[in-house]
Amino acid sequence: NAGVTQTPKFQVLKTGQSMTLQCAQDMNHNSMYWYRQDPGMGLRLIYYSASEGTTDKGEVPNGYNVSRLNKREFSLRLESAAPSQTSVYFCASSEGTLAGGFLTQYFGPGTRLTVL
Amino acid sequence: TQLLEQSPQFLSIQEGENLTVYCNSSSVFSSLQWYRQEPGEGPVLLVTVVTGGEVKKLKRLTFQFGDARKDSSLHITAAQTGDTGLYLCARYRSNDYKLSFGAGTTVTVRA
């Protein structure tokens, strides 16, 4: 039981390049999330998926796209990377949905992305 | 603008000492969570508090939710080096299902 896994762990991109961050969970959770963490800013929600086939924008969605491929996998794509997207990206999952109230989120180990 | 203000930003203490970190907001929380994040890892949930005035204990950690539900504190008794990490609070707003995190307090416990 691996919980939430993320690939890659580290990535360096040049401005304008594209890439996809992968996330998978093996806990049969309905909801999945993408956050970015920047010094002094805390965790900020980028996108959220309450179930397979549905996605919703979070606090900072600009410059990102997501795909909920199936119940297990939720990917985050940067179409044209910018230095402002240098950050640590975390994927998380939870059994319930945000509309159901406060819930326990399980986080992956993160992807450290640098955009030059 | 941070919805949640955490203080202090950094805290360094000797093993065996006590410490308290705070989480404050200008608006009322529906409920609040505390997480600990170790270097190179994702956050791990420590506790959820939902009732004003609530106190929860988890071994040497004591969590308090303010009576007015605008503030919370985390107190660690006799800190150990294993308590080193970033402590994050998160609030949930039931009116719009929004989840917001504070910037965190980085705690370093020296041996």
Side-chain angles (χ1 to χ4, degrees), chain B residues 10-50:
Chain B
F10 300 98
L11 187 57
S12 179
I13 61 170
Q14 202 71 32
E15 195 170 28
E17 294 181 336
N18 301 333
L19 68 95
T20 303
V21 298
Y22 301 91
C23 177
N24 295 285
S25 174
S26 58
S27 56
V28 174
F29 304 148
S30 299
S31 50
L32 186 120
Q33 292 182 326
W34 284 94
Y35 289 80
R36 178 168 63 214
Q37 183 178 12
E38 297 185 9
E41 301 292 331
V44 175
L45 179 66
L46 295 173
V47 76
T48 301
V49 286
V50 297

Side-chain angles (χ1 to χ4, degrees), chain A residues 4 24 26 70-71 93 102:
Chain A
V4 179
D26 62 3
N70 47 55
K71 193 170 186 179
S93 71
F102 225 159

Side-chain angles (χ1 to χ4, degrees), chain B residues 9 12-13 15-16 19 23-24 26-27 37 45 51 56 58 61 63-64 71 76 78 80-81 83 85 91 100:
Chain B
Q9 188 175 358
S12 179
I13 61 170
E15 195 170 28
L19 68 95
C23 177
N24 295 285
S26 58
S27 56
Q37 183 178 12
L45 179 66
T51 305
K56 282 193 174 179
L58 185 66
L61 279 60
F63 304 86
Q64 187 154 7
D71 59 274
I76 301 179
Q80 301 175 356
T81 55
D83 295 324
R91 60 168 280 183
S100 304

Side-chain angles (χ1 to χ4, degrees), chain A residues 35 37 40-43 45 57-58 90 98-110 112, chain B residues 2 9 31-33 35 37 40-43 45 48 86 88 90-92 97-99 101-103:
Chain A
Y35 291 91
Q37 186 175 37
M41 298 294 292
L43 285 159
L45 184 64
K57 293 179 181 180
F90 288 97
L98 282 174
F102 225 159
L103 34 70
T104 299
Q105 292 183 79
Y106 296 85
F107 286 83
R112 283 140 190 87
Chain B
Q2 285 289 325
Q9 188 175 358
S31 50
L32 186 120
Q33 292 182 326
Y35 289 80
Q37 183 178 12
E41 301 292 331
L45 179 66
T48 301
L86 176 67
L88 298 161
R91 60 168 280 183
Y92 175 72
Y97 315 135
K98 292 296 185 186
L99 186 61
F101 282 82

Side-chain angles (χ1 to χ4, degrees), chain A residues 34-36 44-47 57-61 64 76 89:
Chain A
W34 276 105
Y35 291 91
R36 59 178 290 174
R44 291 182 291 169
L45 184 64
I46 305 171
Y47 270 95
K57 293 179 181 180
E59 184 183 353
V60 288
Y64 306 94
L76 178 72
Y89 291 86

